[in-house]
Amino acid sequence: LPRPTANHATSFRSIPPSPASAAAAGATTAKSTTSLYSDTSSTVPEPSTMSASEMITALSSKPITALTPEGFGFSSPAERILKLAKRDNGYYRAKGSASVVDVMEGIEREGKFDVALVFDEDEDGKEKLLGIFTDADYIRLATERATTRNEQESATYLSAPISNFLTPASSLVCVDPTDTASQAVALMTANNLRHTVVLSLCGPNNSYLPGSSVRGVISMQDVLRVIQGDERLSFEKMAKKFPGLADKPIEQMREELKSQANQLASDPETAKKDILRTGTLAL
């Protein structure tokens, strides 16, 4: 065969595409502008115009992840996310009668938790979940405490039972061990949460089901880390996959990693403090 020349290459590149090729290219282009969450061609509405139910539907639909095995990435089950978080069960355990300051000092002492699950015993002596204490509950407590008239009244907040300030179990948004990463992200996003409780079995609409056992607590960052690691996604690609998260958890995760890198560079012994652990010192 004759050796290709520059003229050959030029003439080859200049060949116009066939009608069939052009149609296929157009179809490919059209598909790239459609939903990133499913194989359908329906366009995902802007997050600002989506209702909570629409957000859950859009985010929890299985994304196109042809190279990622089932059970990894977006389809990772909650029990796997909990295990990979490497924070035991993901929460500090407290009794309802424990004081606010004792619980917050316990969270600070453990160092690996940023929420507390609060338990009590029912009339039959069986343990039951009263609720969860998170940074949002601490902010509410601190806001109320700031309105006190004197130090004595302010101190009553520290000695008060933690059960006075928690989010009750009846208001929890939960996932079961087989719910996927996409479903967990969707639920937390739609309900403006940073954490969700993993139960052996959830009630209707992912509510708390009395009698079900607590497997642990996972955070939005726990879920996003698994997705990013399995799917090999950059922050920009994650923002495209989850447009409703572009300005919240993904940015928080980006800033957290920057902060950790800066602290390791300046002082390996310095650990990042979140709102609850910083709040313990303030109290």
Side-chain angles (χ1 to χ4, degrees):
L1 293 175
R3 181 171 181 156
T5 64
N7 289 336
H8 285 124
T10 302
S11 61
F12 180 79
R13 286 197 299 269
S14 64
I15 297 175
S18 66
S21 299
T28 301
T29 303
K31 187 173 182 179
S32 66
T33 61
T34 58
S35 171
L36 291 170
Y37 306 98
S38 65
D39 293 323
T40 64
S41 60
S42 57
T43 301
V44 176
E46 287 297 320
S48 59
T49 64
M50 298 171 70
S51 66
S53 59
E54 288 173 334
M55 177 75 76
I56 292 175
T57 300
L59 292 180
S60 62
S61 299
K62 185 178 180 180
I64 303 171
T65 52
L67 299 180
T68 306
E70 187 69 24
F72 292 81
F74 292 95
S75 62
S76 292
E79 59 183 351
R80 177 173 179 262
I81 296 169
L82 185 62
K83 181 178 179 180
L84 291 177
K86 296 180 179 179
R87 292 185 292 110
D88 294 338
N89 49 22
Y91 65 90
Y92 175 76
R93 188 183 189 86
K95 292 184 176 180
S97 58
S99 69
V100 168
V101 69
D102 284 344
V103 173
M104 296 189 69
E105 286 179 349
I107 293 174
E108 163 68 13
R109 185 173 57 253
E110 293 289 341
K112 55 187 173 181
F113 308 129
D114 51 8
V115 301
L117 288 188
V118 183
F119 296 86
D120 206 347
E121 292 184 355
D122 59 20
E123 297 177 352
D124 298 326
K126 294 182 179 179
E127 188 175 68
K128 65 177 181 179
L129 177 64
L130 294 183
I132 189 171
F133 184 77
T134 70
D135 52 355
D137 299 302
Y138 164 71
I139 291 172
R140 178 167 55 88
L141 180 155
T143 301
E144 292 182 16
R145 184 168 176 257
T147 63
T148 56
R149 294 167 294 182
N150 52 59
E151 291 186 4
Q152 184 176 3
E153 185 178 347
S154 176
T156 61
Y157 280 81
L158 304 183
S159 58
I162 192 68
S163 57
N164 291 358
F165 298 99
L166 52 73
T167 297
S170 58
S171 299
L172 293 179
V173 175
C174 310
V175 294
D176 67 39
T178 60
D179 282 337
T180 66
S182 289
Q183 289 172 312
V185 169
L187 287 166
M188 284 189 275
T189 302
N191 292 279
N192 195 28
L193 301 173
R194 288 181 56 200
H195 303 84
T196 183
V197 180
V198 184
L199 297 177
S200 59
L201 183 64
C202 296
N205 300 316
N206 292 88
S207 61
Y208 172 68
L209 182 65
S212 59
S213 60
V214 176
R215 300 291 181 84
V217 174
I218 55 176
S219 69
M220 180 70 82
Q221 273 67 33
D222 292 337
V223 180
L224 294 182
R225 284 192 186 97
V226 170
I227 293 175
Q228 186 187 33
D230 289 351
E231 303 286 353
R232 300 293 190 269
L233 293 175
S234 65
F235 287 112
E236 288 72 19
K237 289 183 178 179
M238 287 184 70
K240 289 181 180 179
K241 292 284 185 182
F242 295 121
L245 302 181
D247 59 342
K248 290 184 181 179
I250 290 180
E251 188 58 33
Q252 290 174 4
M253 186 175 172
R254 188 203 304 267
E255 292 304 316
E256 181 178 334
L257 291 176
K258 285 182 181 178
S259 176
Q260 290 173 349
N262 290 337
Q263 288 164 1
L264 287 174
S266 60
D267 184 358
E269 300 301 320
T270 302
K272 181 180 182 292
K273 303 292 185 181
D274 65 7
I275 291 177
L276 279 181
R277 288 193 281 269
T278 303
T280 303
L281 300 178
L283 287 174

